[in-house]
Amino acid sequence: MNRCTADTHQSEEQGIFLPPAVKSIPISVLKQNGLLQALAEGPNGRTEADPSAELLQAQEEWEAVESLQSGIVGTCAGHVPLIAFNEALQYFQTADLSECRKKIQPTVQRRGLSAVAHFFFGPPRLHQQLQGERDLALAIAQCGLDNNEKVHMRILQTIYKKLTGSRFDCPRYGAHWEELGFQGLDPGTDLRGTGLLGLMQILYFVMDSRTLPLARDVFKLSQHESQNFPFCVMSINITRIVIQALREEHLSRECNRRQQVIAVLNDLYVATSLRLYVIWKTQQKTISDSGFVLKELEAFAKKKPKQLLRYLEIYMSGRAVSVIDGGFQHPSPSSGIHSPDLNSAVGNSSKEINFTGVCDPQVEMEGEARLI
């Protein structure tokens, strides 16, 4: 995590105070603000005609610091502007995704009795006019992170700045990404299961003013001393759940009702993140429980997506909600958030489930094709 800060310096002889951020200020700005002139002034306040060797050396050092910041850790605030979710989405709408579209599998292929049962008793099919938007979302999920695409880099920088509160750019590679909950120094290696849709949903989470407080709460919880978990890896796993729910047509009814696809995917992602937060915090979950929690989140998102979305709506309205037996309860405003009961959604399964990393082979349900 880069910092445009320096130790505070004060000249005892001249009484000149240099603020902590002075090392991050370009040399030209120092000249304009008269700081270098003050350094060159003698005790009587008169400026020497020729700068001393010490002053010239100091100037070279300032120039080197400025160059280092620009070349390695990025310059100060505003160097790479933040990007809104809609702007990023417009980029993908106009980008050439033909190669990515060739890889998508819009729906899960079913055979035999599973196909017959799904045809007669399964959810409705997605309206034809919405299939293009669905395919766009799945194509984004096939896109890898490209260092040469400015929009890709802006998405990364925006996520970093919004979660950490930093005003400064960060390096493309480094341990600071592990602090955000990626598995290594390069976030791109964690996106093989969800592609850039994994980053897009985090971007939506942190750039929507209604959901940003929740995103920061989840991120803060992920940094807890005993309840910590990798925030971004967990988030990408939630995106994987959302993609599976879409491909298995569990979201078709809601998409048809709202005549939207990507908005429904984003809302389900936030709603599932909210359920993760409530479960993790109130039941004192730790990283060893992550496999069980992810399995419950997946089962609930596929079985009762409408209830999850309703849960989010209630939460966003400012009312406290408890999750009880897979349903909802509206406690008094002073009661806060209560512990959810997972028994109804998880069932009687006692088999341990390992934490699902996005680079690990995906667990396949019966009759389900592999996720993208």
Side-chain angles (χ1 to χ4, degrees):
M1 192 179 303
N2 61 322
R3 293 283 189 270
C4 289
T5 58
D7 294 333
T8 302
H9 298 279
Q10 187 168 1
S11 172
E12 296 180 357
E13 297 180 357
Q14 299 171 337
I16 300 171
F17 176 74
L18 300 183
V22 73
K23 280 192 176 183
S24 66
I25 302 176
I27 195 71
S28 58
V29 176
L30 294 177
K31 292 177 181 178
Q32 294 173 2
N33 290 338
L35 290 177
L36 288 182
Q37 182 178 0
L39 287 171
E41 287 179 351
N44 58 1
R46 290 180 297 179
T47 305
E48 301 175 3
D50 297 320
S52 66
E54 293 181 356
L55 180 59
L56 292 176
Q57 181 179 359
Q59 179 174 337
E60 291 177 359
E61 291 177 355
W62 286 115
E63 297 279 8
V65 170
E66 182 185 3
S67 175
L68 176 68
Q69 291 173 341
S70 176
I72 298 180
V73 298
T75 55
C76 292
H79 179 67
V80 174
L82 300 180
I83 186 168
F85 176 83
N86 285 338
E87 182 182 352
L89 181 60
Q90 289 173 3
Y91 159 80
F92 286 109
Q93 288 172 331
T94 57
D96 181 10
L97 303 180
S98 55
E99 292 302 315
C100 297
R101 291 179 183 273
K102 294 177 182 179
K103 304 175 186 177
I104 68 174
Q105 297 178 6
T107 58
V108 171
Q109 300 299 316
R110 294 177 173 85
R111 297 178 180 85
L113 292 177
S114 175
V116 174
H118 183 77
F119 179 80
F120 286 104
F121 306 108
R125 291 188 175 275
L126 188 69
H127 290 168
Q128 186 174 0
Q129 63 267 29
L130 298 176
Q131 292 178 8
E133 188 178 350
R134 174 202 62 193
D135 292 351
L136 173 63
L138 295 177
I140 296 173
Q142 291 289 345
C143 291
L145 189 63
D146 187 346
N147 291 345
N148 297 319
E149 290 289 348
K150 292 182 179 179
V151 169
H152 294 195
M153 297 299 102
R154 287 178 65 193
I155 292 173
L156 262 185
Q157 292 289 341
T158 300
I159 290 171
Y160 173 81
K161 291 175 182 177
K162 296 297 285 188
L163 285 177
T164 64
S166 173
R167 296 181 297 116
F168 310 119
D169 298 339
C170 65
R172 170 64 178 83
Y173 305 96
H176 52 283
W177 295 117
E178 293 178 328
E179 296 175 8
L180 263 61
F182 288 101
Q183 296 182 94
L185 308 182
D186 178 11
T189 60
D190 287 346
L191 302 178
R192 280 174 268 176
T194 63
L196 279 171
L197 187 62
L199 289 184
M200 283 288 285
Q201 293 210 302
I202 301 177
L203 179 69
Y204 174 82
F205 205 11
V206 300
M207 285 302 288
D208 190 304
S209 60
R210 300 167 300 170
T211 61
L212 177 59
L214 174 61
R216 285 179 170 165
D217 283 343
V218 179
F219 180 64
K220 182 179 179 181
L221 180 61
S222 76
Q223 308 290 308
H224 191 274
E225 182 179 357
S226 60
Q227 290 187 268
N228 61 83
F229 58 88
F231 173 84
C232 286
V233 169
M234 188 71 79
S235 173
I236 290 169
N237 271 273
I238 292 176
T239 296
R240 176 187 60 82
I241 291 171
V242 170
I243 292 173
Q244 288 180 334
L246 174 66
R247 294 183 60 245
E248 294 176 21
E249 301 180 278
H250 297 296
L251 306 181
S252 296
R253 192 183 307 276
E254 183 66 17
C255 291
N256 291 342
R257 185 185 71 83
R258 292 171 53 174
Q259 288 296 294
Q260 295 174 311
V261 176
I262 292 178
V264 173
L265 299 184
N266 287 339
D267 285 349
L268 185 65
Y269 163 85
V270 175
T272 306
S273 299
L274 172 59
R275 187 172 178 87
L276 165 70
Y277 175 74
V278 174
I279 291 172
W280 204 274
K281 185 171 184 177
T282 60
Q283 294 194 357
Q284 301 295 308
K285 298 297 184 182
T286 65
I287 191 65
S288 62
D289 302 308
S290 55
F292 293 103
V293 175
L294 280 171
K295 192 68 174 179
E296 188 278 336
L297 293 175
E298 182 172 353
F300 200 93
K302 291 179 179 180
K303 186 177 181 181
K304 299 179 179 180
K306 187 175 181 180
Q307 286 197 23
L308 262 182
L309 295 172
R310 175 60 177 160
Y311 183 26
L312 176 64
E313 182 182 345
I314 294 170
Y315 177 86
M316 298 301 290
S317 69
R319 289 175 284 169
V321 181
S322 298
V323 183
I324 296 183
D325 294 332
F328 298 95
Q329 173 179 299
H330 306 270
S332 61
S334 61
S335 59
I337 299 177
H338 296 273
S339 174
D341 183 356
L342 307 185
N343 294 334
S344 63
V346 178
N348 297 322
S349 175
S350 59
K351 184 177 179 181
E352 182 177 357
I353 305 170
N354 295 323
F355 181 69
T356 306
V358 293
C359 297
D360 298 335
Q362 303 296 334
V363 177
E364 297 185 20
M365 305 294 287
E366 183 178 355
E368 177 184 348
R370 179 178 295 275
L371 172 67
I372 54 179

